[in-house]
Amino acid sequence: MTDITGTGTTLDLGPQAEELARLVAGVGDGQLADPTPCPEYRVRHLLGHLAGLAAAFRDAARKDLGVTTDTSPGSALPDVAPGWREELPKVLAELAEAWRDPAAWTGMTRAGGVDLPGEIAGLVVIDELVIHGWDLARATGRPYAPDQAALRACHDFLAASVDDPDRGEIFGPVVPVGPEASLLARAVGLGGRDPEWAPRP
């Protein structure tokens, strides 16, 4: 069993998935066209991206490879689909359950059309859930309380990528933060976001 928490167990994605589902439930129809910290995404596109990645990494955990795991996230601008309010929380719960299986963290799998070890896929999806949770909270003006174990794993994963020459293909440039910044702000900066981002009035 892969130990990414320092406790001898894999990380339970459930609490972070639940926090994200809470944010999704609070999105108003009038907010779907609002900007997000991702310059190319409006809120509706961010929600569409979350739905796609949740399905892809659910299936990656199950080693159920196919259309969901083979599609590159940059192949088209994502968008919400009919029934997204019911479907997205459901897929997030399925994602968390799939990653509770220790086998999800072992062997090889695929996501976004890229073959990668299960352990790395798990870290990638933790990063996606934590950072995009912040994106959605900031875009919709909601408080955000990420799961602390997921946040720590996200921060450490991003910190390890700082000197990776391929980093620019995945994340934006690191945004420096002050020494007194919170762990969330440091993770957000490492993820290429400005922790002070807010929608323009």
Side-chain angles (χ1 to χ4, degrees):
M1 185 178 293
T2 304
D3 177 13
I4 65 169
T5 65
T7 63
T9 61
T10 55
L11 191 147
D12 182 4
L13 275 61
Q16 181 59 30
E18 290 170 7
E19 173 65 4
L20 199 45
R22 180 190 68 79
L23 293 170
V24 168
V27 177
D29 289 342
Q31 294 178 302
L32 291 176
D34 288 352
T36 75
C38 307
E40 70 277 20
Y41 283 178
R42 297 289 170 163
V43 169
R44 66 182 308 119
H45 305 133
L46 179 57
L47 292 168
H49 177 64
L50 285 167
L53 78 86
F57 281 94
R58 174 200 63 196
D59 294 344
R62 296 171 177 172
K63 311 298 196 291
D64 182 12
L65 309 183
V67 174
T68 58
T69 61
D70 291 351
T71 303
S72 169
S75 60
L77 187 66
D79 203 349
V80 290
W84 64 270
R85 289 188 181 280
E86 297 74 32
E87 184 63 19
L88 185 46
K90 174 175 176 288
V91 177
L92 286 168
E94 292 171 350
L95 167 74
E97 184 59 32
W99 283 98
R100 290 189 177 108
D101 183 352
W105 300 84
T106 64
M108 293 296 293
T109 190
R110 185 182 309 132
V114 177
D115 293 326
L116 68 172
E119 177 184 3
I120 300 302
L123 290 170
V124 170
V125 73
I126 290 167
D127 166 64
E128 293 275 353
L129 294 179
V130 171
I131 298 300
H132 285 319
W134 180 85
D135 290 334
L136 185 59
R138 278 302 174 103
T140 57
R142 304 289 302 285
Y144 183 42
D147 173 63
Q148 289 301 296
L151 174 58
R152 170 59 65 184
C154 170
H155 172 274
D156 292 350
F157 173 66
L158 289 168
S161 77
V162 168
D163 296 324
D164 187 336
D166 295 326
R167 173 192 159 83
E169 299 177 9
I170 305 171
F171 310 111
V174 171
V175 177
V177 299
E180 302 303 318
S182 68
L183 182 62
L184 178 58
R186 298 200 303 273
V188 166
L190 288 168
R193 275 94 163 143
D194 179 357
E196 299 301 319
W197 186 94
R200 292 180 179 177

